[in-house]
């Protein structure tokens, strides 16, 4: 008789955004006359930039001719894209990352879950709290998190690093020593950032205790302040302790196009074994590469025209963030985020729980957000709104909220 991976049975409920989708669907079925504005999931709404569309069309045309047709992609990704990434995202920022240390994939979400496969099950993870659910859930699936306590909403073998108003939503070094540390800055869900000096402390700590930092930099394009690092490899010593996850979803609108990459320096080792070689083996065995068409589109992101066009899109979303943040503040809410990130983190009013405020907002303003408790126990009493809607819907949502 076959057996299942019963670690899946340990997961409480369904995935956060699946639960939200179900609740919204039920509300719309019961209230077909209501127009719902979605500021919950971090999905973009602006169309792909013209230079990217041109690159997609050009690549499709190539696939229609025998002499320019492309089959399986190289394991790490096409050289043209990895070279563009190495130059623009790293060399131009003074970081020592080479093209052969970059692994192209179909997105950072997949990589953030899959990366834990190259580590032993008995490694202990540390996560910010609140945190992007995928980091924890995929480790639950692997059997790395211990048992779940419904009362505290915490796992016995996970080190939680509370990110609260008291510490400006930035984690402090944990008292218990972890093996794997998940960091995401600019942060999802709080929108918080840390300075280069603060990130250097984490790099120094990881090298000192022998931990690996898995650094999610999916939102670096939204950084506007000068002392906020765009990559962990701006820090001295990061090559011996850090893996970086990057995405084209938020900087270039590839949520539906799918493209990302992971950086693993060759200097990152466990004894004499390089993690680069382990990830290369996993990548080559379980993955056949992002499509050529998408990789050509990714290359266009780094063109002069691409940089100009995408900067305008980022500015569009950050203007939405400003509208949301200022509108909520004027309405009397306590708000953070929305400066270096497209997320606004607000304290729920009247001591409402996160899910109570979700229901209240949906029923009274017909606006969808994300309950903070869905990101971890320290998210209780908070709520996330995204700036990825259209400007018109963003303004309309704030008007509805003000009238509640």
């Amino acid at each position: 008789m076959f057996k299942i991976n019963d670690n899946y049975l340990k997961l409480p409920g369904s995935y956060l955004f699946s639960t939200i989708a179900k609740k919204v669907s039920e509300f719309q079925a019961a209230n077909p006359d209501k127009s719902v504005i979605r500021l919950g999931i971090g999905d973009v709404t602006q169309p792909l930039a013209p230079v990217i569309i041109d690159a997609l069309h050009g690549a499709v045309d190539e696939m229609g001719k025998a002499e320019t047709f492309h089959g399986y992609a190289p394991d790490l990704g096409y050289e043209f894209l990895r070279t563009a990434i190495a130059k623009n995202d790293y060399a131009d920022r003074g970081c020592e990352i080479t093209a052969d240390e970059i692994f192209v994939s179909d997105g950072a979400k997949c990589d953030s879950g899959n990366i834990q496969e190259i580590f032993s099950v008995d490694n202990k993870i540390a996560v910010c709290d609140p945190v992007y659910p995928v980091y924890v859930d995929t480790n639950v699936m692997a059997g790395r998190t211990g048992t779940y306590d419904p009362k505290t909403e915490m796992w016995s073998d996970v080190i939680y690093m509370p990110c609260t108003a008291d510490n400006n939503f930035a984690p402090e070094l944990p008292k218990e020593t972890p093996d794997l540390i998940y960091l995401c800055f600019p942060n999802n869900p709080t929108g918080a950032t840390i300075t280069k000096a603060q990130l250097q402390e984490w790099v120094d700590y990881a090298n000192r205790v022998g931990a690996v930092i898995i650094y999610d930099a999916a939102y670096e394009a939204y950084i506007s302040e000068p002392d906020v690092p765009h990559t962990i490899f701006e820090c001295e010593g990061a090559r011996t302790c850090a893996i970086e996850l990057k995405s084209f979803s938020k900087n270039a609108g590839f949520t539906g196009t799918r493209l990302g990459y992971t950086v693993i320096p060759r200097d990152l080792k466990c004894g004499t074994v390089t993690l680069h070689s382990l990830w290369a083996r996993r990548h080559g065995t379980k993955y056949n590469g992002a499509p050529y068409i998408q990789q050509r589109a990714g290359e266009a992101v780094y063109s002069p025209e691409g940089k100009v066009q995408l900067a305008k899109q980022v500015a569009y979303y950050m203007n939405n963030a400003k509208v949301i943040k200022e509108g909520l503040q004027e309405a009397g809410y306590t708000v953070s985020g929305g400066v270096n990130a497209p997320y606004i983190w607000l304290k729920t009013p009247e001591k409402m729980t996160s899910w109570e405020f979700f229901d209240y907002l949906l029923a009274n303003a017909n606006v969808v957000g994300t309950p903070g408790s869905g990101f971890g126990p320290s998210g209780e009493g908070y709520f996330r709104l995204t700036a990825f809607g259209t400007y018109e819907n963003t303004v309309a949502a704030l008007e509805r909220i003000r009238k509640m």
Side-chain angles (χ1 to χ4, degrees), residues 17-80:
F17 296 104
S18 299
T19 302
I20 290 172
K22 181 179 179 182
K23 289 175 75 73
V24 173
S25 179
E26 291 172 349
F27 176 84
Q28 289 185 304
N31 301 274
D33 58 321
K34 302 293 185 181
S35 172
V36 174
I37 297 176
R38 299 170 186 266
L39 299 180
I41 192 168
D43 195 2
V44 296
T45 53
Q46 294 301 293
L48 294 172
V51 69
I52 294 171
I53 293 296
D54 289 344
L56 287 168
H57 281 301
V60 168
D61 289 341
E62 286 185 63
M63 296 296 278
K65 302 173 185 177
E67 61 271 22
T68 52
F69 173 79
H70 290 79
Y72 291 127
D75 282 357
L76 273 66
Y78 284 99
E79 181 71 26
F80 62 78

Side-chain angles (χ1 to χ4, degrees), residues 235-316:
C235 296
E236 185 178 351
R239 284 185 56 86
T240 56
C241 71
I243 293 171
E244 184 159 275
L245 312 176
K246 291 290 291 291
S247 170
F248 287 80
S249 289
K250 304 308 194 297
N251 68 324
F254 278 39
T255 54
T257 308
R258 306 310 304 151
L259 194 66
Y261 66 86
T262 291
V263 177
I264 304 186
R266 292 184 181 275
D267 297 344
L268 182 52
K269 298 179 180 179
C270 179
T272 60
V273 178
T274 65
L275 298 192
H276 182 281
S277 65
L278 298 183
W279 187 242
R281 186 68 169 89
R282 193 262 174 210
H283 216 60
T285 301
K286 293 191 173 185
Y287 187 61
N288 269 335
Y292 173 77
I293 296 167
Q294 275 90 324
Q295 294 198 47
R296 278 298 183 193
E299 180 188 32
V301 167
Y302 298 103
S303 67
E305 301 90 344
K307 291 177 180 179
V308 171
Q309 292 170 13
L310 295 178
K312 290 180 180 179
Q313 285 197 354
V314 168
Y316 177 94

